[in-house]
């Protein structure tokens, strides 16, 4: 039981790290291949460059998604183990 909980929390952490890494890599690739569209002289262009992404929501939402993913992984691991045991008994 403790092992399943540990695997669930580690799996949720890895999935969140993978998600944020993918978002940063997408931003990096878009930055490298960015081609500006030149505006007429009447438009004032931005003088600063921003990089990255904005995580909409509060830190509570991020914590909630982490716990939700961990619970989902735990449920899948529990169901998988029960399914294997029921097949072995027949």
């Amino acid at each position: 039981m403790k092992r399943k909980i540990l695997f669930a929390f580690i799996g949720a952490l890895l999935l969140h790290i993978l998600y944020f890494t993918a978002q940063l890599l997408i931003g990096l690739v878009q930055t490298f291949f960015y081609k500006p569209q030149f505006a007429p002289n009447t438009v004032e262009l931005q003088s600063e460059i921003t990089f990255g992404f904005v995580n909409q929501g509060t830190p509570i939402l991020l914590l909630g998604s982490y716990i939700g993913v961990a619970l989902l992984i735990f449920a899948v691991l529990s169901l998988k183990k029960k399914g294997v045991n029921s097949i072995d008994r027949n």
Side-chain angles (χ1 to χ4, degrees):
M1 182 71 139
K2 290 181 184 180
R3 188 172 181 171
K4 288 181 193 175
I5 293 171
L6 180 66
F7 280 143
F9 279 112
I10 291 173
L13 180 66
L14 290 176
L15 284 175
H16 278 78
I17 289 172
L18 181 68
Y19 171 75
F20 288 116
T21 303
Q23 291 294 321
L24 288 173
L25 287 176
I26 289 170
L28 185 65
V29 168
Q30 287 176 345
T31 301
F32 281 138
F33 294 109
Y34 177 73
K35 293 180 182 176
Q37 297 176 353
F38 293 104
N41 291 334
T42 58
V43 177
E44 189 172 319
L45 297 176
Q46 185 175 342
S47 63
E48 296 179 5
I49 298 174
T50 57
F51 174 75
F53 64 97
V54 176
N55 188 6
Q56 300 288 333
T58 64
I60 299 289
L61 184 65
L62 181 61
L63 181 64
S65 74
Y66 176 74
I67 291 173
V69 170
L71 289 174
L72 183 67
I73 292 173
F74 177 73
V76 168
L77 288 174
S78 295
L79 289 175
K80 181 181 173 191
K81 193 67 171 175
K82 287 180 183 178
V84 170
N85 287 340
S86 65
I87 292 172
D88 289 342
R89 291 180 188 168
N90 290 335

Short mmCIF file of all heavy atoms in Angstrom, two decimals, residues 24-64:
data_model
loop_
_atom_site.label_atom_id
_atom_site.label_comp_id
_atom_site.label_asym_id
_atom_site.label_seq_id
_atom_site.Cartn_x
_atom_site.Cartn_y
_atom_site.Cartn_z
N LEU A 24 8.11 24.91 -21.66
CA LEU A 24 9.30 25.73 -21.83
C LEU A 24 10.00 25.44 -23.16
O LEU A 24 10.49 26.35 -23.83
CB LEU A 24 10.27 25.53 -20.66
CG LEU A 24 9.82 26.15 -19.34
CD1 LEU A 24 10.76 25.74 -18.22
CD2 LEU A 24 9.75 27.66 -19.45
N LEU A 25 10.06 24.16 -23.55
CA LEU A 25 10.68 23.81 -24.82
C LEU A 25 9.88 24.36 -26.01
O LEU A 25 10.46 24.82 -26.99
CB LEU A 25 10.83 22.30 -24.94
CG LEU A 25 11.93 21.68 -24.08
CD1 LEU A 25 11.91 20.17 -24.21
CD2 LEU A 25 13.28 22.24 -24.47
N ILE A 26 8.56 24.34 -25.91
CA ILE A 26 7.73 24.91 -26.97
C ILE A 26 8.00 26.40 -27.09
O ILE A 26 8.14 26.94 -28.19
CB ILE A 26 6.24 24.62 -26.69
CG1 ILE A 26 5.95 23.14 -26.92
CG2 ILE A 26 5.34 25.49 -27.58
CD1 ILE A 26 4.58 22.71 -26.45
N GLY A 27 8.09 27.10 -25.96
CA GLY A 27 8.40 28.52 -25.98
C GLY A 27 9.78 28.80 -26.57
O GLY A 27 9.96 29.77 -27.31
N LEU A 28 10.74 27.95 -26.25
CA LEU A 28 12.09 28.13 -26.78
C LEU A 28 12.12 27.93 -28.30
O LEU A 28 12.72 28.72 -29.02
CB LEU A 28 13.04 27.13 -26.10
CG LEU A 28 14.51 27.24 -26.43
CD1 LEU A 28 15.07 28.56 -25.93
CD2 LEU A 28 15.27 26.08 -25.81
N VAL A 29 11.45 26.90 -28.79
CA VAL A 29 11.40 26.65 -30.23
C VAL A 29 10.68 27.79 -30.94
O VAL A 29 11.13 28.25 -32.00
CB VAL A 29 10.72 25.29 -30.52
CG1 VAL A 29 10.39 25.13 -31.99
CG2 VAL A 29 11.60 24.15 -30.05
N GLN A 30 9.59 28.27 -30.37
CA GLN A 30 8.87 29.38 -30.99
C GLN A 30 9.73 30.64 -31.01
O GLN A 30 9.65 31.44 -31.95
CB GLN A 30 7.56 29.65 -30.26
CG GLN A 30 6.52 28.59 -30.51
CD GLN A 30 5.26 28.82 -29.69
OE1 GLN A 30 5.25 29.59 -28.75
NE2 GLN A 30 4.19 28.13 -30.07
N THR A 31 10.55 30.83 -29.99
CA THR A 31 11.42 32.01 -29.96
C THR A 31 12.50 31.92 -31.04
O THR A 31 12.80 32.92 -31.69
CB THR A 31 12.09 32.13 -28.57
OG1 THR A 31 11.06 32.25 -27.59
CG2 THR A 31 12.98 33.34 -28.50
N PHE A 32 13.08 30.75 -31.24
CA PHE A 32 14.12 30.59 -32.26
C PHE A 32 13.59 30.81 -33.67
O PHE A 32 14.28 31.34 -34.53
CB PHE A 32 14.77 29.22 -32.17
CG PHE A 32 15.78 29.10 -31.07
CD1 PHE A 32 15.84 27.97 -30.28
CD2 PHE A 32 16.68 30.12 -30.82
CE1 PHE A 32 16.78 27.85 -29.27
CE2 PHE A 32 17.63 30.02 -29.81
CZ PHE A 32 17.66 28.88 -29.03
N PHE A 33 12.36 30.39 -33.93
CA PHE A 33 11.81 30.48 -35.28
C PHE A 33 10.86 31.67 -35.46
O PHE A 33 10.12 31.73 -36.43
CB PHE A 33 11.08 29.18 -35.65
CG PHE A 33 12.01 28.01 -35.74
CD1 PHE A 33 11.98 27.00 -34.79
CD2 PHE A 33 12.92 27.92 -36.78
CE1 PHE A 33 12.85 25.93 -34.88
CE2 PHE A 33 13.79 26.85 -36.87
CZ PHE A 33 13.76 25.85 -35.91
N TYR A 34 10.90 32.62 -34.54
CA TYR A 34 10.02 33.78 -34.62
C TYR A 34 10.47 34.73 -35.71
O TYR A 34 11.64 35.09 -35.79
CB TYR A 34 9.99 34.51 -33.27
CG TYR A 34 9.15 35.76 -33.29
CD1 TYR A 34 7.77 35.68 -33.31
CD2 TYR A 34 9.74 37.02 -33.30
CE1 TYR A 34 6.98 36.81 -33.33
CE2 TYR A 34 8.96 38.17 -33.32
CZ TYR A 34 7.59 38.05 -33.34
OH TYR A 34 6.83 39.17 -33.37
N LYS A 35 9.55 35.11 -36.58
CA LYS A 35 9.83 36.09 -37.62
C LYS A 35 8.87 37.25 -37.41
O LYS A 35 7.66 37.09 -37.58
CB LYS A 35 9.64 35.49 -39.01
CG LYS A 35 10.66 34.42 -39.32
CD LYS A 35 10.46 33.84 -40.70
CE LYS A 35 11.48 32.74 -40.93
NZ LYS A 35 11.29 32.06 -42.19
N PRO A 36 9.37 38.42 -37.05
CA PRO A 36 8.47 39.54 -36.78
C PRO A 36 7.79 40.06 -38.04
O PRO A 36 8.35 39.99 -39.13
CB PRO A 36 9.41 40.60 -36.19
CG PRO A 36 10.75 40.25 -36.71
CD PRO A 36 10.77 38.76 -36.88
N GLN A 37 6.60 40.55 -37.84
CA GLN A 37 5.88 41.21 -38.92
C GLN A 37 6.08 42.70 -38.72
O GLN A 37 5.71 43.24 -37.68
CB GLN A 37 4.40 40.85 -38.87
CG GLN A 37 4.14 39.38 -39.08
CD GLN A 37 2.66 39.06 -38.92
OE1 GLN A 37 1.88 39.92 -38.53
NE2 GLN A 37 2.30 37.84 -39.23
N PHE A 38 6.68 43.33 -39.69
CA PHE A 38 7.01 44.74 -39.53
C PHE A 38 5.75 45.59 -39.66
O PHE A 38 4.96 45.42 -40.57
CB PHE A 38 8.07 45.16 -40.56
CG PHE A 38 9.38 44.51 -40.29
CD1 PHE A 38 9.82 43.45 -41.07
CD2 PHE A 38 10.18 44.93 -39.24
CE1 PHE A 38 11.02 42.84 -40.81
CE2 PHE A 38 11.38 44.32 -38.98
CZ PHE A 38 11.81 43.27 -39.76
N ALA A 39 5.62 46.48 -38.70
CA ALA A 39 4.46 47.36 -38.66
C ALA A 39 4.80 48.70 -39.28
O ALA A 39 5.97 49.06 -39.39
CB ALA A 39 4.03 47.54 -37.21
N PRO A 40 3.81 49.48 -39.65
CA PRO A 40 4.10 50.82 -40.16
C PRO A 40 4.71 51.70 -39.07
O PRO A 40 4.64 51.38 -37.89
CB PRO A 40 2.73 51.34 -40.59
CG PRO A 40 1.72 50.38 -40.09
CD PRO A 40 2.41 49.13 -39.69
N ASN A 41 5.29 52.82 -39.47
CA ASN A 41 5.98 53.69 -38.52
C ASN A 41 5.06 54.33 -37.51
O ASN A 41 5.51 54.86 -36.50
CB ASN A 41 6.74 54.79 -39.28
CG ASN A 41 7.90 54.19 -40.05
OD1 ASN A 41 8.41 53.15 -39.67
ND2 ASN A 41 8.28 54.84 -41.13
N THR A 42 3.76 54.30 -37.73
CA THR A 42 2.83 54.93 -36.80
C THR A 42 2.58 54.07 -35.56
O THR A 42 2.02 54.54 -34.59
CB THR A 42 1.48 55.20 -37.49
OG1 THR A 42 0.96 53.96 -37.97
CG2 THR A 42 1.66 56.17 -38.65
N VAL A 43 3.01 52.83 -35.59
CA VAL A 43 2.78 51.92 -34.46
C VAL A 43 4.04 51.88 -33.61
O VAL A 43 5.15 51.71 -34.12
CB VAL A 43 2.43 50.50 -34.96
CG1 VAL A 43 2.27 49.54 -33.80
CG2 VAL A 43 1.18 50.53 -35.81
N GLU A 44 3.86 52.04 -32.32
CA GLU A 44 5.00 51.97 -31.40
C GLU A 44 5.25 50.51 -31.05
O GLU A 44 4.36 49.81 -30.54
CB GLU A 44 4.69 52.77 -30.13
CG GLU A 44 5.89 52.93 -29.24
CD GLU A 44 5.60 53.88 -28.09
OE1 GLU A 44 4.95 54.90 -28.30
OE2 GLU A 44 6.01 53.54 -26.97
N LEU A 45 6.44 50.05 -31.35
CA LEU A 45 6.77 48.65 -31.11
C LEU A 45 7.25 48.44 -29.69
O LEU A 45 7.81 49.33 -29.06
CB LEU A 45 7.84 48.19 -32.11
CG LEU A 45 7.45 48.23 -33.57
CD1 LEU A 45 8.64 47.85 -34.43
CD2 LEU A 45 6.29 47.31 -33.83
N GLN A 46 7.05 47.24 -29.20
CA GLN A 46 7.47 46.88 -27.85
C GLN A 46 9.00 46.77 -27.80
O GLN A 46 9.62 46.22 -28.69
CB GLN A 46 6.82 45.54 -27.49
CG GLN A 46 7.06 45.09 -26.09
CD GLN A 46 6.27 43.81 -25.80
OE1 GLN A 46 5.35 43.48 -26.52
NE2 GLN A 46 6.65 43.12 -24.76
N SER A 47 9.60 47.29 -26.75
CA SER A 47 11.06 47.29 -26.67
C SER A 47 11.60 46.17 -25.79
O SER A 47 12.80 46.01 -25.65
CB SER A 47 11.56 48.63 -26.13
OG SER A 47 11.08 48.82 -24.82
N GLU A 48 10.72 45.38 -25.17
CA GLU A 48 11.17 44.29 -24.31
C GLU A 48 10.67 42.97 -24.86
O GLU A 48 9.63 42.91 -25.51
CB GLU A 48 10.64 44.47 -22.89
CG GLU A 48 11.17 45.71 -22.20
CD GLU A 48 10.59 45.87 -20.80
OE1 GLU A 48 9.86 44.97 -20.36
OE2 GLU A 48 10.87 46.89 -20.17
N ILE A 49 11.42 41.93 -24.60
CA ILE A 49 11.06 40.59 -25.05
C ILE A 49 10.74 39.76 -23.82
O ILE A 49 11.45 39.79 -22.83
CB ILE A 49 12.20 39.95 -25.84
CG1 ILE A 49 12.49 40.76 -27.10
CG2 ILE A 49 11.87 38.51 -26.19
CD1 ILE A 49 13.69 40.27 -27.86
N THR A 50 9.67 39.01 -23.89
CA THR A 50 9.33 38.11 -22.80
C THR A 50 9.43 36.68 -23.30
O THR A 50 9.24 36.40 -24.48
CB THR A 50 7.90 38.37 -22.29
OG1 THR A 50 7.00 38.22 -23.38
CG2 THR A 50 7.79 39.75 -21.70
N PHE A 51 9.74 35.78 -22.40
CA PHE A 51 9.91 34.38 -22.75
C PHE A 51 9.24 33.54 -21.69
O PHE A 51 9.30 33.85 -20.51
CB PHE A 51 11.38 34.01 -22.85
CG PHE A 51 11.60 32.54 -23.08
CD1 PHE A 51 11.36 31.99 -24.31
CD2 PHE A 51 12.03 31.73 -22.05
CE1 PHE A 51 11.54 30.64 -24.52
CE2 PHE A 51 12.22 30.38 -22.25
CZ PHE A 51 11.97 29.84 -23.50
N GLY A 52 8.61 32.48 -22.10
CA GLY A 52 8.01 31.55 -21.15
C GLY A 52 6.51 31.47 -21.35
O GLY A 52 5.98 31.75 -22.41
N PHE A 53 5.84 31.10 -20.29
CA PHE A 53 4.40 30.96 -20.35
C PHE A 53 3.82 31.42 -19.02
O PHE A 53 4.51 31.52 -18.02
CB PHE A 53 4.00 29.51 -20.63
CG PHE A 53 4.41 28.55 -19.55
CD1 PHE A 53 3.51 28.17 -18.58
CD2 PHE A 53 5.69 28.04 -19.52
CE1 PHE A 53 3.90 27.30 -17.58
CE2 PHE A 53 6.07 27.15 -18.53
CZ PHE A 53 5.17 26.79 -17.55
N VAL A 54 2.53 31.67 -19.03
CA VAL A 54 1.84 32.11 -17.83
C VAL A 54 0.96 30.97 -17.37
O VAL A 54 0.13 30.47 -18.14
CB VAL A 54 0.99 33.37 -18.10
CG1 VAL A 54 0.19 33.75 -16.87
CG2 VAL A 54 1.86 34.51 -18.56
N ASN A 55 1.14 30.56 -16.14
CA ASN A 55 0.30 29.52 -15.58
C ASN A 55 -0.93 30.18 -14.98
O ASN A 55 -0.85 30.84 -13.96
CB ASN A 55 1.08 28.73 -14.52
CG ASN A 55 0.34 27.52 -14.04
OD1 ASN A 55 -0.71 27.18 -14.58
ND2 ASN A 55 0.86 26.85 -13.04
N GLN A 56 -2.04 30.03 -15.65
CA GLN A 56 -3.28 30.66 -15.19
C GLN A 56 -3.76 29.95 -13.93
O GLN A 56 -3.85 28.75 -13.88
CB GLN A 56 -4.36 30.57 -16.27
CG GLN A 56 -4.00 31.23 -17.56
CD GLN A 56 -3.99 32.74 -17.46
OE1 GLN A 56 -4.71 33.30 -16.64
NE2 GLN A 56 -3.17 33.39 -18.25
N GLY A 57 -4.06 30.71 -12.92
CA GLY A 57 -4.59 30.12 -11.71
C GLY A 57 -3.69 30.38 -10.52
O GLY A 57 -2.65 31.02 -10.61
N THR A 58 -4.10 29.86 -9.42
CA THR A 58 -3.38 30.07 -8.17
C THR A 58 -2.49 28.88 -7.86
O THR A 58 -2.66 27.80 -8.45
CB THR A 58 -4.38 30.26 -7.02
OG1 THR A 58 -5.14 29.05 -6.87
CG2 THR A 58 -5.34 31.41 -7.30
N PRO A 59 -1.58 29.03 -6.92
CA PRO A 59 -0.77 27.87 -6.49
C PRO A 59 -1.62 26.75 -5.91
O PRO A 59 -1.26 25.58 -6.00
CB PRO A 59 0.16 28.46 -5.44
CG PRO A 59 0.26 29.90 -5.78
CD PRO A 59 -1.08 30.27 -6.35
N ILE A 60 -2.77 27.10 -5.34
CA ILE A 60 -3.68 26.07 -4.81
C ILE A 60 -4.17 25.18 -5.95
O ILE A 60 -4.31 23.97 -5.78
CB ILE A 60 -4.87 26.73 -4.08
CG1 ILE A 60 -4.39 27.58 -2.91
CG2 ILE A 60 -5.89 25.71 -3.64
CD1 ILE A 60 -3.86 26.80 -1.73
N LEU A 61 -4.41 25.79 -7.11
CA LEU A 61 -4.84 25.00 -8.27
C LEU A 61 -3.75 24.03 -8.71
O LEU A 61 -4.04 22.87 -9.05
CB LEU A 61 -5.21 25.94 -9.42
CG LEU A 61 -5.76 25.31 -10.68
CD1 LEU A 61 -7.10 24.65 -10.39
CD2 LEU A 61 -5.92 26.35 -11.76
N LEU A 62 -2.51 24.46 -8.69
CA LEU A 62 -1.39 23.58 -9.05
C LEU A 62 -1.27 22.44 -8.04
O LEU A 62 -1.08 21.27 -8.42
CB LEU A 62 -0.09 24.37 -9.11
CG LEU A 62 1.16 23.60 -9.50
CD1 LEU A 62 1.01 23.02 -10.89
CD2 LEU A 62 2.37 24.49 -9.41
N LEU A 63 -1.40 22.76 -6.77
CA LEU A 63 -1.36 21.72 -5.73
C LEU A 63 -2.53 20.75 -5.89
O LEU A 63 -2.37 19.54 -5.75
CB LEU A 63 -1.38 22.37 -4.34
CG LEU A 63 -1.32 21.43 -3.15
CD1 LEU A 63 0.00 20.67 -3.13
CD2 LEU A 63 -1.52 22.19 -1.86
N GLY A 64 -3.70 21.30 -6.21
CA GLY A 64 -4.87 20.44 -6.43
C GLY A 64 -4.69 19.51 -7.61
O GLY A 64 -5.08 18.34 -7.55
#
